[in-house]
């Protein structure tokens, strides 16, 4: 009996099968691989860095936060077709991969959390959570992004310009590489880098507001826009357009309702019992809200004390 592949992603939004860039790239890779799979939506903990994850049968789970990421797990551990076998040795491969996973990844992250009003990020990650918890998690993510890029009040403008300049250079290089081809490296054969870039482009063009700097810069390259729209059409033709209700589950041929909790790599009897105790979910969310509020208030008070001390030294 053939193994059943189930890709678990964040919910659909903005006319996309899922609004999450990492989830979308995994979905596109599976479509490119022509592997039949079911698509489920995780609504209980949408902020988890384990999402997306893929289940193979009842015994194997590969998570996005594993060292090499979900696409590498799909190729190596899960045994999905390796789309990169004939192109990964090409001269431009390493540099293009670096551009996609650093410059463009950083630019989209910055745009979602810092460079905009946060409405797109909220729709993708937090809209199903209680408002206080979503607000706290959003604020925490904003702090994390600023810390990662070394953004302070004094250098915010300079850092913003650097991020967008790198993104614009990346779009220029990718536009030149693509030309009039169907895919980045091979006229007839997509790669994992196509999946990553197409996910980026779909989110940039559909999830970001029209005033978004990143969306504007992307739209300046007509061949990149055509490339992304072609992919969107193919996703719809493959049966991965969003279902009417995000709590459902959709495969390429069937649809079945399902709401999932993050599974363990090895599902024990005890874990299956815990999984059924959905009635405790609301209580757990409330506890989480209280804990986060306490931590954030403590952090803000401490930060204020430090600023007062620093001010007194001058």
């Amino acid at each position: 009996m053939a193994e059943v592949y189930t890709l678990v992603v964040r919910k659909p939004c903005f006319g996309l099968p899922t609004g999450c860039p990492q989830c979308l790239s995994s979905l596109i890779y599976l479509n490119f691989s022509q592997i039949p799979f079911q698509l489920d939506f995780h609504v209980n903990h949408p902020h988890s860095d384990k999402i997306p994850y893929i289940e193979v049968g009842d015994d194997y789970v590969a998570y996005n936060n594993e060292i090499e990421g979900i696409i590498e797990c799909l190729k190596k551990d899960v045994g999905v077709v390796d789309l990169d076998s004939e192109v990964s040795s090409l001269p431009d491969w390493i540099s293009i991969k670096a551009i996609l996973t650093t410059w463009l990844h950083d630019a989209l992250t910055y745009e979602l959390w810092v460079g905009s009003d946060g409405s797109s990020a909220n729709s993708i990650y937090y809209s199903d959570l209680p408002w206080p918890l979503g607000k706290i998690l959003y604020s925490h993510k904003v702090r994390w992004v600023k810390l990662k890029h070394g953004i302070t009040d004094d250098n915010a403008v300079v850092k913003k310009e650097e991020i967008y300049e790198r993104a614009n250079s990346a779009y220029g290089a990718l536009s030149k590489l693509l030309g009039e081809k169907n895919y980045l490296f091979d006229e007839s054969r997509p790669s994992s880098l196509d999946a990553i870039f197409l996910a980026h482009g779909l989110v940039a063009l559909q999830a970001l507001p029209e005033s978004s700097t990143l969306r504007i810069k992307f739209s300046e390259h007509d061949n990149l826009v055509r490339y992304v729209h072609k992919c969107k059409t193919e996703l719809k033709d493959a049966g991965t357009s969003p279902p009417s209700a995000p709590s459902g589950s959709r495969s390429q041929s069937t649809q079945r309702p399902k709401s999932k909790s993050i599974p363990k790599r090895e599902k024990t009897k005890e874990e299956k019992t815990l999984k059924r105790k959905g009635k405790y979910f609301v209580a757990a969310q409330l506890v989480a809200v209280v804990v986060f509020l306490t931590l954030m208030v403590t952090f803000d008070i401490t930060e204020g004390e430090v600023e007062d001390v620093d001010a007194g030294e001058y």
Side-chain angles (χ1 to χ4, degrees):
M1 182 178 177
E3 295 282 11
V4 177
Y5 293 84
T6 303
L7 180 66
V8 184
V9 299
R10 294 181 173 91
K11 69 175 186 178
C13 54
F14 302 109
L16 299 172
T18 171
C20 165
Q22 289 78 21
C23 297
L24 196 54
S25 62
S26 302
L27 187 156
I28 293 171
Y29 188 89
L30 283 171
N31 270 313
F32 282 161
S33 303
Q34 298 183 347
I35 299 294
F37 66 97
Q38 298 173 338
L39 190 62
D40 278 352
F41 301 101
H42 199 299
V43 298
N44 290 348
H45 302 282
H47 56 286
S48 172
D49 62 356
K50 290 185 176 182
I51 306 170
Y53 60 89
I54 189 164
E55 296 178 330
V56 183
D58 295 324
D59 301 319
Y60 180 87
V61 184
Y63 296 110
N64 183 60
N65 64 349
E66 295 182 16
I67 295 175
E68 294 185 311
I70 188 70
I71 288 181
E72 290 303 315
C73 287
L74 288 172
K75 292 193 295 185
K76 296 179 179 179
D77 297 339
V78 181
V80 173
V81 176
D82 183 356
L83 298 178
D84 302 335
S85 59
E86 296 182 10
V87 293
S88 58
S89 60
L90 294 176
D92 291 334
W93 178 266
I94 294 177
S95 59
I96 295 300
K97 184 174 182 178
I99 285 174
L100 290 171
T101 57
T102 56
W103 288 5
L104 290 187
H105 176 270
D106 290 347
L108 186 55
T109 300
Y110 175 87
E111 186 79 353
L112 284 170
W113 304 102
V114 181
S116 64
D117 62 3
S119 59
S120 296
N122 180 70
S123 296
I124 294 169
Y125 298 95
Y126 302 138
S127 59
D128 289 316
L129 297 177
W131 178 83
L133 181 57
K135 188 71 172 178
I136 292 167
L137 290 172
Y138 174 79
S139 299
H140 177 74
K141 183 70 172 183
V142 169
R143 290 175 185 268
W144 181 87
V145 172
K146 288 183 176 180
L147 180 64
K148 178 186 177 183
H149 293 289
I151 299 172
T152 65
D153 291 341
D154 294 332
N155 67 8
V157 174
V158 173
K159 289 288 186 180
K160 176 181 178 180
E161 291 176 352
E162 289 176 354
I163 290 170
Y164 286 135
E165 284 175 4
R166 287 195 293 265
N168 196 41
S169 297
Y171 290 152
L174 289 161
S175 176
K176 184 177 179 179
L177 176 65
L178 179 64
E180 299 303 318
K181 301 194 301 294
N182 288 323
Y183 303 108
L184 290 172
F185 290 96
D186 190 309
E187 173 64 32
S188 59
R189 180 185 176 90
S191 69
S192 65
L193 300 191
D194 286 283
I196 294 170
F197 185 45
L198 285 165
H200 172 96
L202 283 166
V203 173
L205 291 177
Q206 293 199 219
L208 299 180
E210 292 184 1
S211 59
S212 159
T213 300
L214 203 61
R215 178 172 177 172
I216 292 170
K217 290 184 178 296
F218 192 100
S219 300
E220 291 172 354
H221 301 276
D222 293 339
N223 64 333
L224 296 185
V225 174
R226 287 196 300 271
Y227 169 70
V228 169
H229 285 325
K230 178 177 179 291
C231 174
K232 181 182 176 183
T233 300
E234 291 173 350
L235 285 177
K236 288 183 177 180
D237 291 343
T240 53
S241 56
S244 58
S247 59
S249 169
R250 182 189 180 96
S251 71
Q252 292 182 340
S253 59
T254 62
Q255 188 170 358
R256 57 187 175 87
K258 189 175 183 181
S259 180
K260 304 181 69 67
S261 295
I262 294 178
K264 303 296 184 183
R265 183 173 291 279
E266 295 181 2
K267 299 177 183 177
T268 65
K269 182 177 179 181
E270 184 180 68
E271 288 167 341
K272 291 178 180 178
T273 300
L274 290 174
K275 189 176 179 180
R276 291 194 296 266
K277 296 182 178 179
K279 63 183 179 180
Y280 296 117
F281 173 68
V282 174
Q285 292 284 36
L286 292 175
V287 171
V289 170
V290 173
V291 171
F292 271 104
L293 282 172
T294 302
L295 291 175
M296 294 299 291
V297 169
T298 302
F299 179 83
D300 289 339
I301 291 173
T302 304
E303 188 177 47
E305 290 174 351
V306 171
E307 290 176 352
D308 291 342
V309 171
D310 291 343
E313 292 178 352
Y314 293 91

